[in-house]
Amino acid sequence: MKLSGVLIFISNQEKVFLQLNKEFVKIIHTIKNSQQFQNFIIFGAGQLFSLLTPLLIAPYIIIICGEEGFGKAGIGLSFVFILTVLVDFASGINGVKEISINRNEPKKVQKIAITLFSIKLIALVFVILLSSVLIFLIPFLYKEKALFFFSLIVLVSQAINPTWFLQGIEKFKIISLITISGKLIYILMILSKIKNPSDYIFVNLYFGLSVIITNVFCLCWLVRNNYLVLIIPKLEDIITVFKRDYKLTFSQLLLSFQQYSPILLIGYFGNSILAGQYKIIEQIIMIFRTYLQVLFNFIYPRICFLLTKNKENGIRRWFYFNGLNFILILFSSFFLFIYAQEILEYFNASDSLSLSFYLKLATFIPLLFAINIPLQQLVLAFNFQKKYVNSTVLTSIVLMISIVLFFNIWQLTGVFISLLFAEFFVVLIYVYILRNQLTIRKNEN
């Protein structure tokens, strides 16, 4: 009897195992054949290459131009990256959202696209004029005027950047193609043209030119295949979109200040060598932010679409994907903490032992990125734009004041403490804004 009972138990366990295995295979098969999964793989391949590019060229630039030249190039790039937000004019948020929601109405999509491209070109002229005045009037910028004027080419590349439009219509193969092509051109330009320490002034020029080349080809492809029709935009449409998005653009400008101002403040209150050392660590940490922003861009249209169809399902997908992603960031941050010195040696840092302390401190920042960027996604998807703007204004002010105060006391340590505090502050604000949405989801389950 005991033997037969054991055999029955084993038989039942085998059936359970076979059933579980069958279900697992079915799930894997479903995922592999999912269009969303295929898009993610295609999109991810291009963005992975984009993430790796700074890791490939930064050590070379540091060898040729030194930490000081690398820091100056970083200051110039941060300056224009702040201004690109004005040129973008919320196309990466509201533009993507509108294109995604109206993807089945071609005429409406064309109207949205042409209107936003027109606003971006108008903004480009305004921003170039504004930045030129700033370069001539501010001694800190004028001292490196050649670097900053060459860096303005990045603004042109952003104005004609069609990535936001491609995200809305979910043409991820094209996004990956132009991303990889642009980065390859950039790498070739850097390796073939940067030969002397003074060549740091051209680093951002080559970055902008490489993006322009690929964007022009992409725009031609979109027009030739009728994804984008060249029509004259209506003035009232431009005014309507401007009124709708100018506050969000302003908040994005402050968010950009929050992200890129530290190196500008270090260069202004400190020196280019300190800025270069910060840039090395920022280059590593910003890989996480870039990766999360890439995921934001990939998921955001789908989340917006799902929330409009079924709020509960949209939130569930959001929790599932971002929860798994947080685990990935956690393990990556731990690896970075353990091998901080070895990683800095790869970047040819002049004092990898001392800088490893700053890098270890900075490894906690990606964990906060992995929380606040997904929360930002929900805040925008639920149309809490006004609260988002207010929170961004407050956070940016807090960060810049804390950097100025703490840098004078603790130098780079103070900067990274300020960044940690600001990211934690953002998480608290977003959780407060979304408290009712999260409560509703809990009750419904």
Side-chain angles (χ1 to χ4, degrees):
M1 289 295 291
K2 288 183 178 181
L3 180 60
S4 62
V6 171
L7 292 174
I8 291 171
F9 175 77
I10 292 174
S11 177
N12 289 336
Q13 292 300 309
E14 287 179 349
K15 288 179 181 178
V16 171
F17 176 77
L18 290 172
Q19 183 64 29
L20 289 173
N21 187 57
K22 184 178 179 181
E23 290 296 325
F24 180 75
V25 171
K26 184 179 178 181
I27 292 171
I28 295 298
H29 182 73
T30 302
I31 292 174
K32 286 176 66 178
N33 289 280
S34 166
Q35 184 63 44
Q36 188 74 359
F37 176 77
Q38 292 174 12
N39 285 340
F40 177 72
I41 294 299
I42 293 167
F43 186 67
Q47 300 307 314
L48 176 63
F49 191 82
S50 180
L51 287 173
L52 292 176
T53 300
L55 302 181
L56 296 174
I57 63 170
Y60 177 80
I61 295 173
I62 293 169
I63 287 176
I64 301 298
C65 303
E67 288 179 353
E68 184 175 6
F70 185 65
K72 289 179 179 179
I75 291 171
L77 193 61
S78 294
F79 174 73
V80 292
F81 273 173
I82 290 172
L83 296 173
T84 54
V85 174
L86 296 176
V87 175
D88 238 5
F89 213 82
S91 59
I93 297 176
N94 279 347
V96 172
K97 182 179 179 180
E98 290 296 313
I99 296 284
S100 177
I101 292 173
N102 298 287
R103 69 181 72 176
N104 297 321
E105 299 181 52
K107 289 186 178 180
K108 198 166 185 179
V109 167
Q110 297 301 328
K111 178 182 175 182
I112 294 167
I114 291 298
T115 301
L116 271 170
F117 270 119
S118 300
I119 290 176
K120 283 160 70 73
L121 291 174
I122 294 169
L124 173 66
V125 175
F126 170 77
V127 173
I128 286 181
L129 290 174
L130 173 64
S131 55
S132 298
V133 171
L134 291 175
I135 292 170
F136 278 111
L137 291 181
I138 301 174
F140 173 69
L141 302 179
Y142 187 76
K143 187 169 60 176
E144 292 288 344
K145 59 183 181 296
L147 167 67
F148 286 105
F149 275 116
F150 282 140
S151 299
L152 294 183
I153 195 71
V154 176
L155 299 175
V156 179
S157 69
Q158 191 65 22
I160 63 173
N161 188 351
T163 302
W164 62 274
F165 178 76
L166 294 168
Q167 288 167 2
I169 62 175
E170 298 192 6
K171 292 294 179 182
F172 295 106
K173 288 183 181 178
I174 305 301
I175 294 175
S176 291
L177 179 62
I178 63 174
T179 299
I180 293 173
S181 301
K183 295 305 179 184
L184 284 174
I185 294 171
Y186 178 47
I187 291 172
L188 290 174
M189 284 182 171
I190 291 295
L191 295 179
S192 61
K193 300 294 184 179
I194 303 297
K195 298 296 182 182
N196 302 300
S198 60
D199 288 343
Y200 69 87
I201 63 172
F202 301 115
V203 170
N204 300 332
L205 172 67
Y206 298 143
F207 176 79
L209 286 175
S210 65
V211 179
I212 287 174
I213 292 169
T214 53
N215 284 345
V216 168
F217 275 103
C218 183
L219 286 171
C220 291
W221 181 86
L222 286 169
V223 172
R224 189 171 63 249
N225 289 277
N226 296 318
Y227 287 108
L228 193 62
V229 178
L230 298 179
I231 57 175
I232 298 175
K234 295 181 179 179
L235 180 60
E236 55 265 34
D237 291 336
I238 292 175
I239 294 172
T240 299
V241 174
F242 178 83
K243 288 180 178 179
R244 184 195 69 188
D245 291 348
Y246 80 93
K247 288 184 180 179
L248 180 59
T249 301
F250 178 68
S251 73
Q252 290 298 105
L253 177 64
L254 291 176
L255 188 65
S256 189
F257 265 112
Q258 181 180 326
Q259 182 175 347
Y260 298 112
S261 64
I263 191 171
L264 291 170
L265 294 173
I266 292 169
Y268 184 79
F269 290 105
N271 54 59
S272 298
I273 295 176
L274 274 178
Q277 292 175 339
Y278 170 82
K279 180 64 178 177
I280 293 172
I281 297 172
E282 183 201 42
Q283 193 90 70
I284 300 167
I285 297 302
M286 285 301 115
I287 291 173
F288 292 92
R289 180 182 279 276
T290 304
Y291 162 73
L292 290 164
Q293 285 295 152
V294 166
L295 289 182
F296 178 102
N297 293 335
F298 179 81
I299 302 169
Y300 184 64
R302 177 62 58 176
I303 291 296
C304 292
F305 182 76
L306 289 173
L307 287 173
T308 58
K309 298 298 181 183
N310 187 313
K311 176 184 170 184
E312 173 65 18
N313 183 48
I315 294 179
R316 186 183 295 111
R317 293 281 190 92
W318 177 87
F319 265 109
Y320 176 76
F321 188 87
N322 288 297
L324 292 176
N325 196 50
F326 180 81
I327 295 172
L328 175 62
I329 298 295
L330 179 62
F331 280 105
S332 301
S333 298
F334 180 74
F335 175 84
L336 190 61
F337 186 91
I338 297 298
Y339 295 101
Q341 186 175 346
E342 289 79 1
I343 291 169
L344 288 167
E345 287 174 354
Y346 165 79
F347 280 89
N348 299 308
S350 59
D351 190 356
S352 58
L353 181 60
S354 298
L355 288 179
S356 64
F357 167 76
Y358 301 123
L359 181 55
K360 287 180 179 180
L361 181 61
T363 55
F364 293 97
I365 297 176
L367 298 177
L368 295 171
F369 286 164
I371 299 173
N372 74 43
I373 290 178
L375 288 173
Q376 177 193 352
Q377 197 174 66
L378 279 187
V379 168
L380 293 170
F382 281 122
N383 294 314
F384 292 125
Q385 268 83 358
K386 186 175 181 180
K387 292 181 179 180
Y388 172 73
V389 170
N390 293 337
S391 64
T392 304
V393 170
L394 182 59
T395 304
S396 300
I397 293 172
V398 169
L399 175 65
M400 284 189 271
I401 291 174
S402 62
I403 286 179
V404 172
L405 292 176
F406 293 161
F407 179 76
N408 288 327
I409 301 172
W410 298 308
Q411 296 287 289
L412 290 182
T413 303
V415 174
F416 290 113
I417 290 174
S418 299
L419 292 172
L420 280 166
F421 175 74
E423 294 298 330
F424 181 71
F425 187 64
V426 171
V427 171
L428 293 180
I429 292 177
Y430 286 164
V431 169
Y432 179 77
I433 293 172
L434 294 166
R435 66 194 184 284
N436 292 331
Q437 300 300 330
L438 298 177
T439 302
I440 289 171
R441 179 182 183 278
K442 183 177 179 181
N443 292 336
E444 288 176 353
N445 283 337

